[in-house]
Amino acid sequence: MLKRIITSVIGLPILAAFLFFGGWALAVPVLLIALLGQVELYRCFGKLKAVHFAALAASTIFIFSLLFFWDFLYIYLQNYVFIIIGAFLLVISVGSKMHNAAFSFLYITLPLSAILVMREGFGLHYVWLIFIGAWGSDTGAYFVGKFLGKRKLAPTLSPNKTVEGSIGGIVLAAVLSVMYALVFDFSYASLALFGIYGAIAAVLGQSGDLFASAIKRRMGIKDFGGVMPGHGGVLDRFDSILFVAVFAIAYFHFLGM
């Protein structure tokens, strides 16, 4: 627990700086997280192959393209949900040799790119809602589960998660989202919309966590890596972010906010 706290105390100011400056200052760490996450996933499935390096190169080109070409960023934002659905169908249709590489791009790179697109397309205040929804849920679930948790949520996938903790995470994420909207005066939008966002984001964040746990359980590993003390690998820390990022950009875009 102490390692988790220390890592968070060090990491949050660094994250805040990246988000504040945006542009290249954000694109580079987003790309690094995407690449590290993909490598962790490939190692989880076995040895790295040539097709995996091709996927890493594709991720690099894709992330940088979002900054090099503003028109591409705008088109990407306008069609984000359709692109996600199309990418999912592509993964289903590709052959077995490409499956892991295509899946990693869909599962890791596309969702992480939403952080950059949200920052550049919506602004600094909106991009923080991704992290509030995901990590607010993590925090609420951990502490409520620790002190009040009794009923197991998904004992096969993650024995420590409880129903009570899950509810606590949903409530905290919703409350924090509303408080955030109040602090930064999103007066043009109903506070209820932010509460709804926080609750749904929490559910998706917890789902992302369980999805990653299912992969680890299937492959017989505890963590994806050890690059982040107290957390494990990059994917162990950002697994909940992946699902929330996809939802956040679609939610606020279609609400016209």
Side-chain angles (χ1 to χ4, degrees):
M1 182 60 184
L2 180 60
K3 288 183 178 180
R4 290 176 65 93
I5 294 175
I6 292 174
T7 301
S8 298
V9 169
I10 295 174
L12 281 176
I14 297 175
L15 173 65
F18 290 148
L19 293 178
F20 177 79
F21 288 107
W24 285 101
L26 180 59
V28 171
V30 166
L31 174 61
L32 289 176
I33 292 170
L35 296 180
L36 285 171
Q38 285 179 275
V39 170
E40 288 176 353
L41 192 64
Y42 298 149
R43 287 177 175 171
C44 171
F45 290 134
K47 295 181 179 179
L48 280 103
K49 302 176 182 178
V51 68
H52 296 150
F53 289 102
L56 295 175
S59 294
T60 302
I61 295 171
F62 176 74
I63 294 295
F64 283 160
S65 293
L66 293 176
L67 284 182
F68 274 122
F69 307 105
W70 172 253
D71 289 341
F72 176 57
L73 176 67
Y74 179 75
I75 293 172
Y76 180 57
L77 173 61
Q78 295 296 316
N79 298 279
Y80 187 79
V81 174
F82 302 105
I83 292 172
I84 291 292
I85 294 173
F88 176 74
L89 294 175
L90 174 63
V91 168
I92 294 176
S93 64
V94 295
S96 59
K97 290 184 179 180
M98 282 291 294
H99 182 270
N100 290 344
F103 170 72
S104 71
F105 186 85
L106 169 67
Y107 175 49
I108 299 171
T109 302
L110 276 181
L112 285 176
S113 72
I115 297 174
L116 181 60
V117 174
M118 182 77 90
R119 173 62 180 86
E120 300 303 310
F122 286 78
L124 177 62
H125 290 167
Y126 275 100
V127 73
W128 271 111
L129 286 163
I130 294 175
F131 300 93
I132 290 173
W135 290 345
S137 174
D138 288 347
T139 303
Y142 176 80
F143 285 104
V144 173
K146 183 178 179 64
F147 294 105
L148 300 176
K150 294 181 180 179
R151 292 170 290 179
K152 299 295 183 181
L153 178 66
T156 302
L157 296 179
S158 187
N160 294 326
K161 288 182 173 56
T162 64
V163 173
E164 292 80 7
S166 176
I167 295 172
I170 293 171
V171 172
L172 182 60
V175 170
L176 289 177
S177 297
V178 170
M179 291 176 61
Y180 185 82
L182 284 171
V183 170
F184 288 99
D185 191 25
F186 288 87
S187 56
Y188 49 85
S190 169
L191 290 177
L193 292 176
F194 288 91
I196 293 170
Y197 162 78
I200 298 176
V203 172
L204 291 173
Q206 293 174 26
S207 298
D209 194 347
L210 290 174
F211 183 81
S213 295
I215 295 175
K216 289 184 286 186
R217 175 73 63 173
R218 181 178 179 182
M219 303 310 299
I221 61 174
K222 181 181 179 182
D223 294 319
F224 283 110
V227 70
M228 302 184 73
H231 295 280
V234 166
L235 283 182
D236 295 297
R237 176 69 285 195
F238 284 86
D239 52 9
S240 59
I241 291 290
L242 300 177
F243 282 26
V244 174
V246 172
F247 165 68
I249 196 170
Y251 184 83
F252 292 110
H253 175 62
F254 283 111
L255 285 177
M257 299 167 69

